[in-house]
Amino acid sequence: MKRSKKKIFKAAVLGDPIGHSLSPLLHQTWLQELGLLGEYKAVLVKAENFEIKISQLFADPDFVGANITLPHKQRALHCADQASPLAKKVGAANLLFRKNNTIIAENTDVFGFLDPLYQILDVQSLIGKTALVFGGGGAAKAVVFALCSSQIDHVFLCNRSQEKAETFFAEVQNPQTKLLHWDNRNQPPTAPDIVINASSAGMTGFAPLDINLAFCGPKTVVYDLVYQPIQTPLLQQAKEKNIAHLGGLDMLIAQASPSFHAFFGVKPPQTNLAKSILLVKIYAKQGGGQ
Ligand code: NDP
């Protein structure tokens, strides 16, 4: 449904931390390109205030929805009036939006994760393959669901804290998944075809992911969901070891596209302007370089 051009519809991204988020710049660029009125802000929300903040924001009739980022994606699923079948299956939501006076929880991370991967891999090429996924939060849930739905053979799940790893494994409940203890992270039982960092490690302000990619085979692809910095320590290591690799910026843009549509009633423009502006912003934050 296309929205009225006269009203200023409001949307936001909620998380903790949130200062790093590029979503406001991305959505504002798309709004400007399309000549639409609209507002998209970053809101810092502590875990204990999450539900109350959601109620406060949606109490404003002009508030059309929110993207949800770390660490709230799993709670977001439960504070909506309805969750989409996909968000329920994944067990996490990164999008809450208003539809006919109800708040719907959706997951666009699954699409956002697969879309850039399929730009470099054949859709068929995950069938029968093995993946190693680091992380145990909302992003890891979307990644594991996406991989298992792509008929991958095995997904090894590895999270730094063993307690969270076991809870995550139990929640995922999929026969394609196997738990790999953090202590064995450098010795997976087989060389994975794809290694995914779905943890916060390597993000600006977080310690790098402490792994040695020596276990990778000649055709392994390393996919880091982190997009700040663009060249994460993991991607740098992959580059040095001549391993094919992919960063998280294209996923950020791909997962934002259906959110923008849900908020403002139109698809974002199919130009590269927003990506160029995000890259300039990231490199400026890094103080030039790269
Ligand atoms: P959560 O806070 O829910 O989970 C974070 C996970 O990272 C935890 O499992 C935690 O493990 C792990 N972790 C944190 N620091 C380290 C470290 N130094 N070494 C190993 N593991 C670590 O976050 P989300 O799942 O929501 O997001 C995870 C990351 O994915 C974020 O960086 C986010 O920006 C990125 N992301 C990117 C997207 C994109 O569009 N490119 C989309 C979604 C997410 P432990 O249990 O041990 O604390």
Side-chain angles (χ1 to χ4, degrees), residues 114-249:
L114 285 175
D115 188 59
L117 191 60
Y118 287 154
Q119 306 285 330
I120 62 160
L121 294 179
D122 189 289
V123 178
Q124 300 290 317
S125 64
L126 287 175
I127 299 173
K129 298 281 167 52
T130 301
L132 170 56
V133 177
F134 291 97
K141 277 211 168 139
V143 165
V144 172
F145 179 84
L147 291 169
C148 292
S149 308
S150 307
Q151 298 176 50
I152 203 154
D153 196 42
H154 279 110
V155 182
F156 291 102
L157 310 177
C158 190
N159 189 61
R160 180 182 57 178
S161 86
Q162 186 59 15
E163 196 187 336
K164 194 164 178 182
E166 283 169 17
T167 309
F168 182 77
F169 180 67
E171 284 172 358
V172 167
Q173 253 192 354
N174 190 309
Q176 287 151 280
T177 57
K178 292 183 177 180
L179 205 51
L180 181 70
H181 197 283
W182 180 252
D183 292 347
N184 299 326
R185 63 194 179 282
N186 290 323
Q187 294 105 28
T190 48
D193 297 286
I194 174 161
V195 177
I196 296 140
N197 177 31
S199 82
S200 315
M203 193 171 145
T204 305
F206 286 71
L209 187 66
D210 182 18
I211 60 161
N212 183 340
L213 292 171
F215 57 74
C216 290
K219 291 193 173 163
T220 302
V221 175
V222 171
Y223 188 174
D224 197 340
L225 267 55
V226 173
Y227 54 86
Q228 290 201 80
I230 290 287
Q231 186 79 315
T232 63
L234 182 68
L235 293 179
Q236 184 61 37
Q237 192 189 151
K239 191 176 169 190
E240 283 160 10
K241 291 190 162 75
N242 227 359
I243 300 167
H245 52 279
L246 178 64
L249 189 62

